Amino acid sequence: MSERPEFTIRVDQNPYLPAGGREMHAIVTVEARSADADADADADADADTGTGTGAGAGAAGSDAAEVIIIDTSGSMSYGGKMAAARRAAKAAVGVLRDGVRFAVVAGANRPRMIYPQGERLVEANASTRRSAANAVARLDAAGGTAIGSWLRLANRLFEGRDGAVRHAILLTDGKNQHESDEELDAALRVCAGRFLCDARGVGTDWEVAELRKITSALLGGFLDVPDPKDLEADFLAMTRAAMSKQVADVALRVWTPQQAELRFLKQMVPAVEDLTGRRAESGTQTVDYPLGAWGSENREYHLCVEVRPGDVGRQMRAAWVKLVAPGSEGEAERELASGNVLAEWTDDEARSTRINGRVAHHTGQSELADAIQEGLEARREGDEDTATARLGRAVVLAREVGNEQIAGLLDKVVDVIDPATGTVRLKADVAKADEMSLDTRSVRTVRTRKDDLPPHTPPGAPPDEAGS
């Protein structure tokens, strides 16, 4: 049985503010490490999904439930997509751990159970995996697309599995045409916080914004799979990733002093995701942000808090971050790790104007994602001036943060005349798959190199917490 991972929190920041300064930025790195984890598990996690759902140490001792949802609408019958989906689903079932509860669902106008029969989960073992693979082999394509109803069925299947790592895989090849936006939004409100969902869009007829909305609400990630033959390897990676998770329903708890305002919290690694709107009050001056399930991995978060200015020389705690998880079987919640965000006012301009390396790096990555998405949207709307300006800015930022994958994808959308200044020209003909890949992967980030990292903030409380 694998041990649960040990968590640590590291805070990187420049704690010095100028006289009258209010805004403090910090990068909070959360690392979970199992005793039997591979040293490179966190790198594998990024490569697998881009959402922290990465393959790593085994999680044989953890309670888990998995639902695999395969789009079986009529459009899946073209281009080899249905045959590829069958192979992918069978591969995913084949790597489920013994004891994991699972089901396979077909999605069309209405969802239907493929395995087992009836709305229930079954325990994975050699017999049920074989039976599920046989059932998947009979999948065929007919009907429409109503993704909200598919997710509602998954939510019902997960009922009674509180405390387990609950994860769904969703595959689609098209737009959510057979239910309204309001119906999908309502389903997402029901499912949010109930389970995690990673999604894949196969081909080029699905909508990036739609899958982004779904996986954002369900704390997962999504990627494009232009060529159906790549689905099998992708499903294997996603399922192995899910099987590595050991701790469910982790939250980041943030305390701030009175009259301080938490401006935003964004996940930055392995992908940009704004968590600000997910905050839930959890106590006096504390709020919780859901972080989903964890295995052996690390993720990075950009926190910004506005504090009341103090006198020169004064030190205070601008925020106190804790990682918490629910207790098992009615026990009290567990505190997994903690760290401090500090503030000190100074009249030393050299100190107060220094920008922390990690903060600068992630600020650039957040702006890069925005620039790409805004540029592509302007291009679709025929606003060539805005598209050129924003995608040119993205070229500069991709170079600055060292995101070579994004730089390569930008080269397929614009002709780069001067990468240093961001002088570009929109390409006349861009393959839809290339545009979708750039949009989909715009939030994928790169870490700062370990040898470039500044010293981290010590965990001890500062000498002054006045105003709290």
Side-chain angles (χ1 to χ4, degrees):
M1 179 184 296
S2 296
E3 296 179 10
R4 290 188 180 275
E6 299 240 345
F7 288 83
T8 58
I9 283 180
R10 169 189 177 123
V11 177
D12 288 287
Q13 63 168 140
N14 174 15
Y16 295 104
L17 290 171
R22 291 176 173 271
E23 198 168 86
M24 178 54 67
H25 293 260
I27 300 301
V28 178
T29 300
V30 179
E31 181 171 15
R33 182 64 63 196
S34 298
D36 58 353
D38 183 89
D40 294 323
D42 55 311
D44 294 340
D46 296 352
D48 286 340
T49 72
T51 64
T53 310
S62 60
D63 188 12
E66 187 77 23
V67 175
I68 301 168
I69 307 171
I70 302 298
D71 186 340
T72 58
S73 59
S75 58
M76 286 288 290
S77 62
Y78 299 100
K81 289 181 285 190
M82 195 69 252
R86 286 193 290 264
R87 291 193 298 271
K90 286 196 286 186
V93 166
V95 295
L96 294 172
R97 294 195 323 268
D98 282 349
V100 170
R101 300 281 176 171
F102 79 101
V104 182
V105 171
N109 298 72
R110 293 185 181 85
R112 60 189 176 92
M113 296 292 297
I114 296 302
Y115 186 83
Q117 296 299 303
E119 288 192 9
R120 61 192 180 95
L121 301 175
V122 295
E123 187 173 309
N125 55 44
S127 175
T128 57
R129 283 192 292 267
R130 185 167 52 249
S131 297
N134 291 336
V136 166
R138 297 190 290 272
L139 280 173
D140 57 4
T145 306
I147 297 175
S149 68
W150 312 350
L151 296 172
R152 285 181 181 272
L153 173 54
N155 188 50
R156 294 195 297 273
L157 292 170
F158 286 124
E159 286 181 2
R161 306 303 303 174
D162 293 350
V165 175
R166 306 172 299 281
H167 181 262
I169 290 173
L170 168 66
L171 172 68
T172 187
D173 78 326
K175 303 175 182 68
N176 194 45
Q177 295 177 317
H178 294 87
E179 63 184 6
S180 67
D181 289 343
E182 291 75 18
E183 287 174 308
L184 176 58
D185 290 343
L188 292 175
R189 287 193 294 273
V190 168
C191 297
R194 297 292 306 143
F195 62 93
L196 310 181
C197 181
D198 287 319
R200 294 296 184 264
V202 62
T204 58
D205 293 327
W206 52 281
E207 287 191 351
V208 173
E210 199 164 70
L211 281 197
R212 180 175 284 129
K213 176 172 73 172
I214 290 167
T215 54
S216 177
L218 302 181
L219 295 180
F222 73 104
L223 283 177
D224 56 311
V225 187
D227 192 334
K229 72 174 182 289
D230 296 327
L231 277 177
E232 183 174 354
D234 203 76
F235 267 50
L236 277 171
M238 274 195 292
T239 309
R240 286 173 174 150
M243 294 300 95
S244 76
K245 300 303 177 187
Q246 297 163 275
V247 183
D249 303 321
V250 175
L252 186 69
R253 178 166 296 163
V254 184
W255 171 93
T256 51
Q258 290 179 357
Q259 299 181 316
E261 178 184 358
L262 190 56
R263 296 286 300 279
F264 63 77
L265 180 74
K266 296 180 182 180
Q267 177 183 278
M268 297 307 304
V269 171
V272 178
E273 180 67 44
D274 193 345
L275 301 177
T276 309
R278 308 288 181 83
R279 57 187 289 163
E281 303 293 330
S282 56
T284 303
Q285 298 167 230
T286 63
V287 293
D288 286 2
Y289 296 88
L291 304 186
W294 285 67
S296 182
E297 61 192 284
N298 64 62
R299 309 179 202 172
E300 297 178 17
Y301 302 89
H302 184 176
L303 179 150
C304 175
V305 59
E306 184 176 307
V307 296
R308 185 171 57 184
D311 297 331
V312 170
R314 183 192 167 200
Q315 296 177 320
M316 68 172 291
R317 177 154 54 183
W320 188 13
V321 292
K322 294 183 180 181
L323 209 65
V324 296
S328 58
E329 299 179 356
E331 294 178 352
E333 67 181 17
R334 293 175 291 142
E335 181 180 319
L336 306 173
S338 66
N340 290 305
V341 178
L342 308 181
E344 180 177 345
W345 284 268
T346 180
D347 54 9
D348 184 337
E349 185 176 356
R351 283 183 165 185
S352 64
T353 58
R354 187 178 71 243
I355 301 176
N356 176 270
R358 276 183 178 266
V359 171
H361 179 77
H362 287 316
T363 299
Q365 296 201 120
S366 183
E367 186 186 349
L368 172 61
D370 290 342
I372 290 171
Q373 292 171 29
E374 291 165 6
L376 290 177
E377 181 62 26
R379 183 179 179 276
R380 287 189 286 267
E381 293 177 352
D383 184 352
E384 292 191 3
D385 289 343
T386 299
T388 301
R390 298 306 288 143
L391 293 173
R393 177 60 178 158
V395 166
V396 173
L397 290 165
R399 188 168 176 246
E400 288 180 353
V401 302
N403 197 322
E404 296 178 2
Q405 181 189 44
I406 292 298
L409 292 171
L410 281 163
D411 284 342
K412 298 180 179 181
V413 177
V414 297
D415 292 316
V416 180
I417 298 167
D418 185 348
T421 63
T423 304
V424 303
R425 181 173 53 244
L426 299 181
K427 288 183 182 291
D429 297 309
V430 177
K432 188 175 181 181
D434 290 337
E435 180 182 336
M436 292 178 72
S437 285
L438 178 58
D439 195 357
T440 298
R441 297 163 192 267
S442 62
V443 297
R444 300 286 295 271
T445 57
V446 293
R447 289 186 171 91
T448 50
R449 293 184 304 177
K450 289 183 179 179
D451 55 359
D452 288 342
L453 298 182
H456 68 279
T457 303
D464 180 15
E465 293 181 40
S468 63

